[in-house]
Amino acid sequence: MSTSIDDLLGFEEEQPAQEGAARGGRVGGALRTLAVAGALTAVVVAGLRTVGLQLSLWVVVAGVLALLAVRRVTAALAPPPPPRSGARIAAGEEDGHYHWAARDALRAAINGWERPLDWSAGNPRRFAERILPRLGELADERLRQRHGLTRESDPVRARALMGDRLSAFLDTPLRRTPSPRDLAVIVAELERI
């Protein structure tokens, strides 16, 4: 018996196993359904007789078969379960499409800023209530991570590290909502901390 290198390195896709064949075929599935229906019918009839009710056996059988049929149809039409949050992601190349249903931390972060910025556009009071505290938290976090202080713990040094423009922006009440260009300058100064 001789085998060539082409035979060893050749690749043929395996045909996916038939789902019905893995479960015993149609006859096995029908017998299993009838057995479950018989068991459920016996339980329902016994339960009804225990409480003193009588119902035609054919009505109970029809009801149980209808419930099993509804269960099978809903199981077939149900969407696949969402991936577990702790599940490992398979290694390999991505398919190149954005998966909108996936939990995306970047999308959540963008939405966390986009909506309040949109909502407060043109309203200085809303901007001062919603956006300024977030920018202050960002400045404090950058100061804490890079220099071991916050604006509250060491205001003089924090002001020197942040610069006059950023400090004034965060500390003084606004008379108007800053333009996107002004916000870009503020964000650049935040990144420089």
Side-chain angles (χ1 to χ4, degrees):
M1 175 177 197
S2 70
T3 305
S4 71
I5 193 96
D6 290 330
D7 292 337
L8 292 174
L9 298 177
F11 174 74
E12 291 182 26
E13 282 192 34
E14 294 180 23
Q15 296 295 326
Q18 296 291 338
E19 189 174 319
R23 292 185 176 172
R26 289 183 185 215
V27 174
L31 289 175
R32 201 171 5 267
T33 301
L34 287 176
V36 170
L40 287 174
T41 301
V43 169
V44 169
V45 168
L48 289 174
R49 290 206 175 139
T50 303
V51 294
L53 296 174
Q54 284 191 343
L55 201 59
S56 171
L57 181 63
W58 296 112
V59 172
V60 175
V61 169
V64 167
L65 287 175
L67 286 174
L68 289 174
V70 167
R71 182 174 178 258
R72 178 171 280 186
V73 169
T74 55
L77 296 177
R84 296 182 311 181
S85 60
R88 290 178 48 123
I89 298 172
E93 293 195 23
E94 295 181 8
D95 59 1
H97 297 287
Y98 185 79
H99 301 286
W100 292 99
R103 290 184 178 211
D104 185 1
L106 179 60
R107 170 67 52 198
I110 289 171
N111 287 344
W113 281 96
E114 184 179 30
R115 288 184 184 124
L117 279 170
D118 223 14
W119 185 64
S120 64
N123 190 335
R125 186 177 66 80
R126 282 187 191 158
F127 186 87
E129 289 174 357
R130 302 286 185 207
I131 305 300
L132 249 130
R134 287 183 177 193
L135 292 173
E137 289 172 7
L138 280 175
D140 282 338
E141 187 63 19
R142 298 281 289 198
L143 288 168
R144 186 190 63 75
Q145 285 180 349
R146 307 253 171 124
H147 306 286
L149 61 107
T150 62
R151 292 180 299 152
E152 187 176 302
S153 67
D154 192 354
V156 174
R157 187 161 174 234
R159 186 171 185 83
L161 289 169
M162 289 191 311
D164 291 332
R165 184 179 206 167
L166 180 58
S167 294
F169 178 79
L170 293 175
D171 295 335
T172 58
L174 298 173
R175 290 188 297 269
R176 64 176 179 82
T177 305
S179 68
R181 179 177 286 164
D182 294 338
L183 278 177
V185 169
I186 295 300
V187 169
E189 289 186 19
L190 269 171
E191 289 175 349
R192 250 185 281 140
I193 294 178

